[in-house]
Amino acid sequence: MRTQVAIIGAGPAGLLLGQLLSRAGIDNVILERRSASYVLSRIRAGVLEQGMVDLLHEAGVGERLDREGLVHDGFALAFRGALHRVDLKELSGGKTVTIYGQTEVTHDLIDARQALGRPAIYEAEDVTLHDFNGASPRVTFRANGRTEELHCDFIAGCDGYHGVSRRSVPTDALHVFERVYPFGWLGLLVDRPPAAHELVYANHERGFALCSMRSAGRSRYYIQVPLAERVENWSDDAFFDELRRRLPAAVGDAVMTGPSLEKSIAPLRSFVAEPMRFGRLFLAGDAAHIVPPTGAKGLNLAASDVRYLFDALREHYRDRSDAGLDAYSARALARVWKAERFSWWMTNLLHRFPEKDGFGQRIQQAEFDYLTQSRAAGITIAENYVGLPY
Ligand code: RFL
Ligand code: PHB
């Protein structure tokens, strides 16, 4: 088998890159370890920056997003009972975010790829990358009981944090930066209207809580839990009780309970692997970096990486220039680190950290007071939340 770009992973990064390449006439094959239904069952992000919305349009998958996505002009910060609205639109010079689940993005991209007649190869086992330091990279894998070999010009490693691509790079060629936080998020999805029209991020003495949504009839809630917590220990009732306790009364009272459609715990981590290119292997999305979800940046960073990588590959094939490929890692990392900073900052502002003397809590309180009093502080949070320019 031969293709121009071998893409490892059919998450949002791999599927979006594949779609953009196919529409530009650049042949590509996507190899995915899991089944399509498994990929679609993962409940993850929900907030899209305008840059990602534009890119989905460019990929030809903007129609349902336009119809069903919820445009949000702001969000609220709750601090020990006080509520402060961040007017994203006013503070960012007219920018907004769109609420549309990662599951829906993935769904649309899978359908679009199917329509092009080139579905990804699912349940590909033992995906192994070869010779990406030379001119003729290869990927071997097993599918339907047969061992296959895929020859290509480039490999795009879009296989997430636990994928094989980053691990294929010699460790001495990688510089890894990491912060692990002493807590996780317990998330619950429920078919009930959201408690508020906009997202509410709450800092409470019992821990962080977030009210988010997927649609006018479906809510997504999160609470901070200790790292060792197990999802089996949380009944739906216990979750809703704890959630309400952490929200200002007006918001807590509006939470509508119901049976959970999904409930899971995600650990929080900041992680960056540098560089993002090794010869003819390019890493994109979670394969190269992880942010804690507090800034809603993970999925959006996967999209900005894909923007840079797609432009670079198109330049290579169409204009016979490798300038974009050579600049890819530095360009992507410059944006990644700013999102890492913002996500780390939001995480520090909003969570309860184990500490003895309360210094950190006083700093959080001062930060929140400053945010409510300073337009400059409001602009800083707004321009980062809606997404820095590509
Ligand atoms: P993905 O989505 O992890 O997709 C990678 C794909 O690669 C496949 N794969 C392999 N395929 C072939 N061979 C192998 N050896 C492979 N190993 C792995 C995997 O099966 C998978 O299909 O990465 P991508 O495309 O870079 O997309 C990134 C986003 O998914 C991610 O940044 C966000 O979802 C992060 N994230 C969240 N971000 C937000 O902005 N808001 C959130 O609320 C939010 N919640 C979350 C999250 C990530 C979570 N993870 C990773 C556990 C909640 C969770 C639970
Ligand atoms: C979500 O809806 O899943 C969500 C929204 C905002 C975040 C994180 C997760 O910051």
Side-chain angles (χ1 to χ4, degrees):
M1 244 198 294
R2 168 150 191 101
T3 189
Q4 290 175 298
V5 182
I7 300 173
I8 318 298
L15 287 167
L16 182 55
L17 179 64
Q19 195 60 18
L20 290 161
L21 289 172
S22 296
R23 284 168 66 94
I26 300 166
D27 193 57
N28 60 91
V29 169
I30 303 184
L31 302 174
E32 166 60 50
R33 186 174 54 169
R34 305 286 197 163
S35 66
S37 57
Y38 180 91
V39 170
L40 282 171
S41 70
R42 293 188 292 224
I43 307 295
R44 290 183 178 178
V47 179
L48 311 189
E49 297 171 354
Q50 191 57 46
M52 177 162 190
V53 170
D54 294 343
L55 194 57
L56 290 168
H57 276 280
E58 194 175 325
V61 290
E63 200 187 306
R64 192 162 71 97
L65 167 64
D66 276 350
R67 225 173 35 242
E68 298 178 14
L70 307 173
V71 175
H72 280 200
D73 296 351
F75 68 88
L77 289 172
F79 214 87
R80 297 175 196 145
L83 258 182
H84 172 71
R85 178 168 188 264
V86 178
D87 189 335
L88 291 172
K89 194 169 187 179
E90 197 268 320
L91 291 163
S92 71
K95 301 206 177 91
T96 56
V97 293
T98 301
I99 307 300
Y100 192 67
Q102 178 169 333
T103 315
E104 307 310 320
V105 172
T106 309
H107 209 292
D108 295 344
L109 285 165
I110 289 177
D111 285 353
R113 193 164 179 97
Q114 186 82 36
L116 292 177
R118 293 292 301 271
I121 299 173
Y122 287 95
E123 300 182 68
E125 294 172 58
D126 298 332
V127 171
T128 311
L129 283 52
H130 308 269
D131 304 333
F132 50 82
N133 256 329
S136 316
R138 285 176 303 129
V139 182
T140 54
F141 60 99
R142 278 193 307 118
N144 304 315
R146 286 179 29 207
T147 300
E148 307 269 4
E149 188 170 37
L150 176 63
H151 294 263
C152 56
D153 300 334
F154 300 103
I155 302 174
C158 302
D159 46 351
Y161 180 68
H162 299 287
V164 66
S165 299
R166 190 184 66 253
R167 280 189 281 116
S168 305
V169 176
T171 44
D172 58 2
L174 266 184
H175 195 160
V176 166
F177 304 84
E178 192 166 25
R179 281 281 177 284
V180 178
Y181 302 90
F183 40 73
W185 280 16
L186 171 62
L188 180 148
L189 188 70
V190 62
D191 265 336
R192 291 287 183 276
H197 291 304
E198 296 179 338
L199 271 58
V200 181
Y201 291 83
N203 178 325
H204 187 271
E205 58 192 24
R206 297 179 66 89
F208 169 80
L210 169 60
C211 304
S212 182
M213 65 192 75
R214 289 291 175 274
S215 65
R218 182 171 285 188
S219 302
R220 178 73 166 160
Y221 295 111
Y222 297 95
I223 54 173
Q224 173 186 349
V225 291
L227 255 191
E229 191 59 275
R230 298 171 64 86
V231 68
E232 300 79 46
N233 296 342
W234 286 86
S235 66
D236 293 353
D237 286 344
F239 179 95
F240 282 114
D241 285 348
E242 185 60 31
L243 173 71
R244 283 178 163 146
R245 252 182 240 149
R246 297 184 186 187
L247 296 169
V251 183
D253 290 346
V255 171
M256 291 176 67
T257 64
S260 60
L261 302 172
E262 193 261 5
K263 205 161 47 188
S264 56
I265 294 181
L268 266 65
R269 178 194 303 276
S270 298
F271 173 91
V272 181
E274 296 184 354
M276 289 170 62
R277 176 207 184 157
F278 307 87
R280 289 176 169 258
L281 168 64
F282 295 82
L283 301 179
D286 279 14
H289 41 74
I290 297 285
V291 286
T294 328
K297 291 285 164 248
L299 178 58
N300 291 297
L301 274 185
S304 57
D305 288 353
V306 165
R307 162 90 274 165
Y308 299 137
L309 185 53
F310 167 62
D311 287 346
L313 288 167
R314 188 172 49 179
E315 221 175 278
H316 170 86
Y317 286 110
R318 194 184 61 188
D319 310 332
R320 315 233 159 267
S321 162
D322 283 349
L325 290 175
D326 292 339
Y328 170 71
S329 180
R331 278 178 85 188
L333 282 168
R335 193 170 191 279
V336 164
W337 273 111
K338 292 185 196 95
E340 290 283 347
R341 184 206 70 81
F342 179 65
S343 304
W344 166 86
W345 177 80
M346 284 278 278
T347 303
N348 280 293
L349 173 69
L350 292 167
H351 290 77
R352 191 73 172 189
F353 286 79
E355 60 166 356
K356 287 194 199 78
D357 63 354
F359 180 85
Q361 288 166 37
R362 290 291 192 281
I363 294 289
Q364 288 179 336
Q365 183 71 55
E367 190 95 53
F368 179 75
D369 291 346
Y370 177 55
L371 267 173
T372 62
Q373 291 154 10
S374 160
R375 184 172 165 78
I379 290 174
T380 300
I381 194 168
E383 74 176 353
N384 280 279
Y385 195 85
V386 299
L388 295 173
Y390 280 6

